[in-house]
Amino acid sequence: MSRLVTADTPLRWHRRLVRWRWTYPHRGGRPPVDARLAALIEEMARENPGWGCRRIQGELLGLGYRVGASTVRGW
């Protein structure tokens, strides 16, 4: 009975996979929100407690800031 790989081959594959996994740059997730924009969102939410995230999003759009409702919802 012949083997397709030697006994060391899976170990070598595993070492290479681990080495690649820990050296590969992590580029996931949403880009961070600018600190000035975050402060503006907090201020608008604090001064206008009746406004929802969609209203604050619309007001920011009128000021020239294009953000998603889920970004505003976090504050």
Side-chain angles (χ1 to χ4, degrees), residues 7-36:
D8 281 339
T9 304
L11 292 174
R12 188 174 11 136
W13 290 343
H14 182 264
R15 283 192 299 267
R16 184 174 36 183
L17 178 66
V18 169
R19 183 175 55 242
W20 177 80
R21 170 69 176 101
W22 292 110
T23 60
Y24 190 77
H26 302 286
R27 292 188 208 127
R30 183 181 298 180
V33 177
D34 185 41
R36 291 179 294 168

Side-chain angles (χ1 to χ4, degrees), residues 16-66:
R16 184 174 36 183
L17 178 66
V18 169
R19 183 175 55 242
W20 177 80
R21 170 69 176 101
W22 292 110
T23 60
Y24 190 77
H26 302 286
R27 292 188 208 127
R30 183 181 298 180
V33 177
D34 185 41
R36 291 179 294 168
L37 180 59
L40 180 60
I41 293 171
E42 288 178 22
E43 182 182 348
M44 291 176 86
R46 190 174 44 254
E47 291 179 359
N48 306 295
W51 288 5
C53 61
R54 300 288 294 184
R55 172 73 187 266
I56 294 174
Q57 178 190 13
E59 294 293 329
L60 289 171
L61 187 59
L63 294 174
Y65 295 104
R66 186 171 179 206

